[in-house]
Amino acid sequence: MLKVLIVLAAAALSNGHLQPGKKLPPFATSMYSGNVKERIKIPPTPMSDFNVLRWVGRWFFQFHKPSHSWAVSEEFTYYEKIFELQENNLINHELMRNYGVCNSVKSVWHIKGPGYFEGIDTVGDNWSGRIIVVDTDYTGFYITWGCTKWSLFSDRCEDPGVYVLTRQLEPDPAVLSCIESALQNTFGISVNQLIRIPHEERC
């Protein structure tokens, strides 16, 4: 019985990417012991009552599970974005720090419906494809899901990503708890399974 428990614990640590001796953040309610990438391949439902006018403005990246095409984002140490509404499009201004250097990029999100966008990345395919707003309270956080490569055989995404942003650079614990609940309810995953951007130095 002891051997079984040891094997299960090792599997949870391996699949959840939690290193031995590292504690869960207080807002992370549990470990998800499955493959996060597989779980997020299923497209979520957009927010039906999403209000884009309340959503625009400045946001800061906090957690993400990037698509394979955007693996470089795992090295970001600062990341903010500003949404600007222009007719039926969102202009997405982004500012990030990577390896000590700050860069800015711009992309266009075409509004397709409440909480549903089609991204056009002018420099690559990081924000190209379907983008869905999963949840937001407009003043504290939002969660988006994106897909850059659809399956040829089913309505699933082969290269999905999940992104969590907050209005404040250092969000309140209550906001982090809301984020954890939204991730659990939508995908069955925890913030502990995502990569956190430390915001060590602002651009």
Side-chain angles (χ1 to χ4, degrees):
M1 184 67 174
L2 180 59
K3 288 182 179 180
V4 172
L5 291 174
I6 291 172
V7 169
L8 289 175
L13 289 170
S14 174
N15 291 327
H17 308 293
L18 183 66
Q19 300 300 317
K22 183 179 178 182
K23 295 182 178 179
L24 285 172
F27 48 86
T29 57
S30 64
M31 283 291 296
Y32 168 62
S33 59
N35 186 318
V36 174
K37 273 295 187 181
E38 285 299 316
R39 180 61 66 94
I40 66 175
K41 283 184 177 182
I42 302 171
T45 302
M47 283 185 66
S48 59
D49 58 348
F50 177 73
N51 186 329
V52 70
L53 292 176
R54 296 180 61 193
W55 190 56
V56 295
R58 175 177 276 110
W59 293 91
F60 298 95
F61 267 84
Q62 297 293 345
F63 307 95
H64 68 301
K65 190 71 169 179
S67 61
H68 294 302
S69 61
W70 204 37
V72 66
S73 67
E74 296 182 12
E75 306 298 330
F76 291 158
T77 57
Y78 179 81
Y79 203 136
E80 71 172 66
K81 67 164 57 193
I82 298 175
F83 287 117
E84 176 188 358
L85 184 62
Q86 290 186 0
E87 298 180 350
N88 201 44
N89 295 323
L90 279 181
I91 310 302
N92 181 16
H93 304 274
E94 299 177 284
L95 182 63
M96 72 285 290
R97 179 182 291 277
N98 190 9
Y99 297 110
V101 178
C102 288
N103 292 292
S104 61
V105 296
K106 182 172 73 172
S107 60
V108 179
W109 292 10
H110 299 301
I111 300 173
K112 296 295 185 180
Y116 172 33
F117 305 88
E118 191 73 26
I120 304 296
D121 193 334
T122 57
V123 297
D125 61 357
N126 298 335
W127 285 115
S128 294
R130 186 181 301 183
I131 302 163
I132 291 174
V133 178
V134 174
D135 199 358
T136 184
D137 62 358
Y138 304 103
T139 60
F141 77 97
Y142 81 75
I143 301 171
T144 53
W145 175 92
C147 181
T148 60
K149 182 181 178 182
W150 283 98
S151 170
L152 297 175
F153 308 104
S154 63
D155 189 24
R156 289 166 60 91
C157 181
E158 293 301 323
D159 193 16
V162 171
Y163 310 92
V164 180
L165 291 86
T166 60
R167 283 289 190 194
Q168 303 300 319
L169 187 60
E170 297 182 5
D172 292 336
V175 171
L176 295 172
S177 293
C178 289
I179 291 169
E180 174 72 5
S181 295
L183 289 171
Q184 291 276 357
N185 293 335
T186 304
F187 301 107
I189 63 174
S190 169
V191 292
N192 191 65
Q193 315 308 311
L194 309 181
I195 299 162
R196 183 158 197 178
I197 296 178
H199 295 129
E200 296 168 350
E201 183 180 358
R202 297 189 69 161
C203 286

